[in-house]
Amino acid sequence: MERTVFIISDGTGITAETFSHSVLSQFESVSFKQVRVPFVDSVDKADAVVQRINRCAAEQGFQPIVFTTLVSQEVLLRVKLANALFLDLFGAFVEPLELNLGMKSSHSIGKSHNAASSTQYRNRIEAINFSLAHDDGQFISGLAQADVILVGVSRCGKTPTSLYLAMQYGVKAANFPLIPEDFERGALPSTIAPYKHKLFGLTIQPERLTEVRHERRPDSKYAAIEQCRYEVAEAERLMRRDGIPMLSTTTKSIEEISTTVLHEVGLDKHSAF
């Protein structure tokens, strides 16, 4: 069973898309095809969306599901003429808040994403640049400015986690690989040893690691299960010896990993807004 889901917003649609992912994940037996339609900020664009939704309903024989964060009531009412199930996020949450707070909301389009000149936004861009510059141990002179330094074997999820932390929370996250030379010495790399209090370890099941590495370098020693078992075991031994908190990424989403890092390292105060 497949249903089409439209994500309609007068801004980027990221807020509605994120919410829709959380809600739809509860229905595992249904396949959802998601279509994001951003910047629907006029009646003409609304009419075009209505035609698109109605065409989809006619072709598939099912009402599409629509998640919206449309602020303009004129645009919203126009879109609601379509043959679809509507889930209006702002209507569901803003109106009860208006009643509780005793005031009207600003009804400003794109309010959550229009802070390009704000301090928080600049901090987030700076964090992204920092994480890119300090990916995979390639630049070590600025590690003192890192909020957290992720360590672990190659391909265990350090880079995507670093970038997610930077993009979503403005966290300056560096990452540094643990390699066979470190295991032979039985010690952390000297470049990160002074920052032990900032380290957080990521690990992974060897069976999953060999799958990931085979995608990058098929039939190599680097991807062999024996090599993966050795590296994971030695990396975990190093981290346990030095008291570095660690988390297995094997079955965790990037959101779960990042939330755990924020909590364990005490960076919960960071926010993308």
Side-chain angles (χ1 to χ4, degrees):
M1 182 177 181
E2 181 178 88
R3 297 291 292 273
T4 299
V5 179
F6 286 89
I7 315 295
I8 302 174
S9 174
D10 40 33
T12 63
I14 292 173
T15 300
E17 185 175 40
T18 301
F19 184 83
S20 72
H21 286 166
S22 298
V23 173
L24 298 176
S25 67
Q26 303 302 312
F27 301 90
E28 298 177 2
S29 61
V30 183
S31 174
F32 295 103
K33 176 186 176 183
Q34 293 188 300
V35 181
R36 180 148 59 102
V37 187
F39 308 119
V40 181
D41 52 8
S42 70
V43 170
D44 288 342
K45 292 180 180 178
D47 289 340
V49 169
V50 169
Q51 293 178 18
R52 188 173 179 183
I53 294 172
N54 287 343
R55 194 162 52 244
C56 179
E59 290 173 355
Q60 297 183 352
F62 293 105
Q63 278 190 321
I65 300 166
V66 177
F67 288 83
T68 82
T69 50
L70 292 168
V71 173
S72 168
Q73 286 301 299
E74 183 182 20
V75 173
L76 176 62
L77 290 174
R78 205 61 167 255
V79 172
K80 281 190 172 182
L81 294 175
N83 179 20
L85 168 65
F86 283 90
L87 300 171
D88 177 12
L89 304 189
F90 279 4
F93 299 111
V94 174
E95 290 175 12
L97 278 171
E98 288 179 334
L99 290 173
N100 186 270
L101 297 173
M103 64 175 67
K104 283 289 185 181
S105 65
S106 64
H107 287 270
S108 298
I109 293 175
K111 192 72 173 179
S112 65
H113 298 287
N114 66 356
S117 61
S118 70
T119 300
Q120 293 93 331
Y121 185 85
R122 290 196 297 271
N123 288 344
R124 190 160 44 157
I125 296 301
E126 184 180 338
I128 293 170
N129 289 331
F130 180 91
S131 294
L132 288 171
H134 294 82
D135 180 45
D136 208 28
Q138 63 181 332
F139 188 68
I140 61 175
S141 63
L143 290 178
Q145 283 73 54
D147 294 312
V148 63
I149 303 171
L150 302 178
V151 295
V153 299
S154 171
R155 309 301 287 179
C156 70
K158 301 184 300 301
T159 294
T161 302
S162 297
L163 289 175
Y164 187 87
L165 286 168
M167 294 174 67
Q168 292 295 113
Y169 301 102
V171 169
K172 291 183 177 178
N175 71 79
F176 207 95
L178 296 177
I179 59 177
E181 286 80 356
D182 301 319
F183 309 143
E184 292 169 8
R185 287 197 318 273
L188 291 171
S190 58
T191 48
I192 61 172
Y195 308 108
K196 189 184 296 186
H197 61 291
K198 296 184 178 185
L199 302 184
F200 189 92
L202 298 184
T203 187
I204 187 172
Q205 290 179 359
E207 293 75 16
R208 176 56 183 153
L209 181 60
T210 191
E211 291 176 4
V212 175
R213 288 185 172 184
H214 268 297
E215 293 175 4
R216 187 179 186 185
R217 289 165 57 182
D219 303 319
S220 63
K221 179 182 178 182
Y222 169 78
I225 184 62
E226 296 80 8
Q227 183 67 22
C228 292
R229 285 173 179 155
Y230 165 72
E231 291 188 30
V232 169
E234 289 298 309
E236 291 181 354
R237 184 182 64 81
L238 270 184
M239 290 187 278
R240 282 194 297 268
R241 192 200 69 177
D242 287 278
I244 299 169
M246 75 176 92
L247 172 73
S248 175
T249 63
T250 308
T251 60
K252 297 286 192 300
S253 68
I254 195 73
E255 294 87 354
E256 290 177 295
I257 299 167
S258 299
T259 300
T260 301
V261 171
L262 289 173
H263 179 71
E264 293 292 333
V265 184
L267 295 172
D268 302 75
K269 64 182 183 296
H270 283 262
S271 172
F273 302 104

